[in-house]
Amino acid sequence: MNIFLVFIIFGVIFLGYKKINSKKIKNIKLNKFKNKLQSTQSNIERIFLREEEKIFSNPNINIFIGIKDTEDNIKRKLNIHRARLSKFKESKLNGEMIFQDDQKKIYKFINGKRLYL
């Protein structure tokens, strides 16, 4: 009788432990997903992505590269500039409109003449 009672107690403890652990795994994944969506960092990243899409879709928006920009920021801006040159054959960088011809040579207009860069 005592052995039977011990087995029942261990069985109840095992099933309770198993049920608690299965809920924790599901809740951890769900909580990670919720936290990622609600975090301010992910909201900031989404805002920057929207801003980059807007800049990428219009070659007339000026891309300003300043002295205080970080290396990663400069690379990101230059990649947007190169992509706009490839897609639209023109892009505005630091207030100057830069163009690309059919031979993929880059130039800008100064006093009505083409100056190849």
Side-chain angles (χ1 to χ4, degrees):
M1 182 77 171
N2 290 336
I3 294 174
F4 182 70
L5 188 60
V6 170
F7 278 123
I8 290 177
I9 291 172
F10 279 130
V12 170
I13 291 172
F14 178 74
L15 290 176
Y17 178 76
K18 188 97 166 155
K19 189 171 184 174
I20 290 171
N21 279 344
S22 67
K23 284 185 178 180
K24 281 185 180 177
I25 292 172
K26 291 178 185 176
N27 286 339
I28 289 171
K29 290 179 181 178
L30 183 63
N31 287 338
K32 274 186 176 180
F33 180 72
K34 284 181 182 178
N35 291 338
K36 185 178 179 185
L37 284 178
Q38 294 174 347
S39 73
T40 56
Q41 184 65 30
S42 66
N43 289 337
I44 291 169
E45 288 173 3
R46 275 191 237 130
I47 290 169
F48 276 116
L49 285 175
R50 282 188 223 131
E51 188 66 28
E52 283 183 6
E53 285 179 23
K54 188 170 86 172
I55 291 172
F56 175 74
S57 64
N58 187 356
N60 293 321
I61 296 176
N62 187 28
I63 297 176
F64 179 74
I65 298 176
I67 296 172
K68 295 182 180 180
D69 284 341
T70 62
E71 185 176 345
D72 292 336
N73 201 9
I74 291 171
K75 285 180 183 179
R76 184 180 54 79
K77 287 179 179 181
L78 285 176
N79 286 335
I80 292 172
H81 173 66
R82 288 184 192 127
R84 292 192 321 186
L85 276 175
S86 295
K87 185 175 182 180
F88 301 109
K89 306 294 184 200
E90 63 182 17
S91 179
K92 195 173 217 178
L93 179 67
N94 286 342
E96 295 181 340
M97 199 64 156
I98 298 176
F99 301 93
Q100 182 179 13
D101 61 6
D102 295 333
Q103 290 85 27
K104 297 191 177 186
K105 294 181 181 178
I106 297 173
Y107 64 93
K108 62 182 177 179
F109 283 107
I110 295 181
N111 297 330
K113 296 181 182 178
R114 286 186 183 185
L115 176 66
Y116 285 93
L117 305 174

